[in-house]
Amino acid sequence: MTSAPAVVIYPPAEDGGRRVRVGERFLGMAYGLLDVIEFLNLAGMEDVDEGWVRRSGLIEWRGGGPGVWEH
């Protein structure tokens, strides 16, 4: 049995923002990778950077990967 990813980034909304969830908590809308990094820092993931966010297997990108921010 596979466990769910720790972080889920949802597909872009009409305004380009993507909902960010860590575990069972929704943290907010991200409008770019820097927002994702900030949310992860606030959730206690202190050593993340842009490269980690792009490559991490802990993040499930729905509706496009880390380069997709347009609806």
Side-chain angles (χ1 to χ4, degrees):
M1 184 167 92
T2 305
S3 63
V7 180
V8 178
I9 312 294
Y10 287 84
E14 291 291 325
D15 65 356
R18 298 178 76 164
R19 289 186 304 150
V20 178
R21 186 182 84 203
V22 175
E24 296 299 318
R25 282 186 27 215
F26 283 98
L27 301 180
M29 291 289 279
Y31 292 89
L33 292 179
L34 293 177
D35 291 336
V36 173
I37 292 166
E38 181 65 22
F39 285 135
L40 297 180
N41 286 184
L42 292 171
M45 302 172 78
E46 297 172 3
D47 293 331
V48 301
D49 61 17
E50 187 174 324
W52 185 90
V53 169
R54 289 182 181 279
R55 294 185 308 272
S56 178
L58 294 177
I59 298 177
E60 177 184 344
W61 293 90
R62 297 183 181 174
V68 177
W69 296 92
E70 300 285 325
H71 177 69

